[in-house]
Amino acid sequence: MKNQLILPLFLFASFLTFSQEKATTTETNSSEEVFKRDIAKNELSIGTLNLVAFGALDIAYERIITQNSSWAIEGFILALDRDNEDIGDAFNKDVSLTGKYKYFFGDRTAWGFYVNGLAMVSSGKYSEYNDTFVDGIYYSNREEKDYTDLALGFGLGGKFVSKQGFFLDLSTGIGRNLFSEDSPVVVGQFNVNLGFRF
């Protein structure tokens, strides 16, 4: 009788041991699960603020170099008709190409607060105002000039990436044009980009 009970008890004990081992493995796997945001290296995004508010197409490609650094290239085209639509002084540029190097301070891959250096080649129309006061009369003359120039500057921002790879990138930057007297002295950026890491 004892021999007949030993076999079922042995099988039952083996079953319990195997179940506990399987549960432990599952827990370990779930805590070490790797998400797309942590292994993908390429990103594409579109500047939603510029698209909606100013009718500008602003597209960016970014490549992750290390966990804390990346480089990016952004293309900008202003689609509004300046003569018929009022955009104020929001954009003096019609077209620009911007290169950036970003350094991230977060623990996750290219995620969280960052600073960046930028180089922007831009082209567009810049209005210069000349004011004069002659014989008690005030004269204001507006002269519009075409320009192409290179600006160097810096910026800061924050990127927030979901497990599946979708992200929101909020950033701002400022640069100084270096060569043309007909260009604005300072160029600025304010981006709200939505994109996907793949």
Side-chain angles (χ1 to χ4, degrees):
M1 180 78 174
K2 287 183 180 178
N3 289 338
Q4 291 176 351
L5 288 175
I6 291 176
L7 183 59
L9 284 174
F10 179 76
L11 289 174
F12 183 71
S14 297
F15 176 76
L16 286 177
T17 305
F18 178 73
S19 296
Q20 288 176 348
E21 189 175 302
K22 187 173 182 180
T24 305
T25 304
T26 305
E27 288 171 11
T28 304
N29 285 343
S30 66
S31 67
E32 294 177 1
E33 189 173 354
V34 178
F35 299 111
K36 186 171 201 163
R37 71 172 175 214
D38 300 323
I39 58 173
K41 299 290 185 191
N42 300 294
E43 294 179 353
L44 277 177
S45 65
I46 187 164
T48 54
L49 177 69
N50 290 334
L51 182 64
V52 173
F54 305 109
L57 186 60
D58 190 1
I59 297 176
Y61 169 78
E62 191 166 335
R63 173 75 179 173
I64 298 168
I65 305 168
T66 67
Q67 180 177 342
N68 296 99
S69 65
S70 68
W71 63 265
I73 188 160
E74 299 172 358
F76 174 94
I77 299 172
L78 185 63
L80 288 179
D81 180 5
R82 286 185 185 274
D83 297 329
N84 297 323
E85 298 185 60
D86 182 26
I87 59 169
D89 291 329
F91 292 111
N92 292 309
K93 61 185 179 183
D94 290 329
V95 177
S96 71
L97 192 62
T98 307
K100 292 182 179 179
Y101 173 80
K102 298 180 181 180
Y103 184 83
F104 293 84
F105 294 97
D107 294 334
R108 299 179 187 163
T109 303
W111 197 99
F113 176 73
Y114 65 84
V115 294
N116 67 271
L118 65 88
M120 176 194 294
V121 175
S122 61
S123 179
K125 295 182 184 300
Y126 180 61
S127 297
E128 193 173 85
Y129 294 91
N130 298 316
D131 300 327
T132 54
F133 193 74
V134 179
D135 295 331
I137 301 173
Y138 177 77
Y139 297 96
S140 180
N141 181 30
R142 176 182 172 193
E143 188 178 355
E144 194 172 71
K145 298 179 180 178
D146 291 329
Y147 78 92
T148 299
D149 210 341
L150 170 69
L152 295 178
F154 69 96
L156 53 90
K159 183 182 289 186
F160 310 98
V161 188
S162 72
K163 295 174 185 177
Q164 296 79 21
F166 293 99
F167 67 85
L168 169 66
D169 188 351
L170 306 170
S171 66
T172 186
I174 190 168
R176 185 178 185 90
N177 279 318
L178 302 175
F179 301 110
S180 175
E181 292 181 4
D182 297 332
S183 65
V185 176
V186 175
V187 293
Q189 281 191 322
F190 183 74
N191 296 331
V192 178
N193 283 35
L194 294 177
F196 183 69
R197 182 177 291 180
F198 60 96

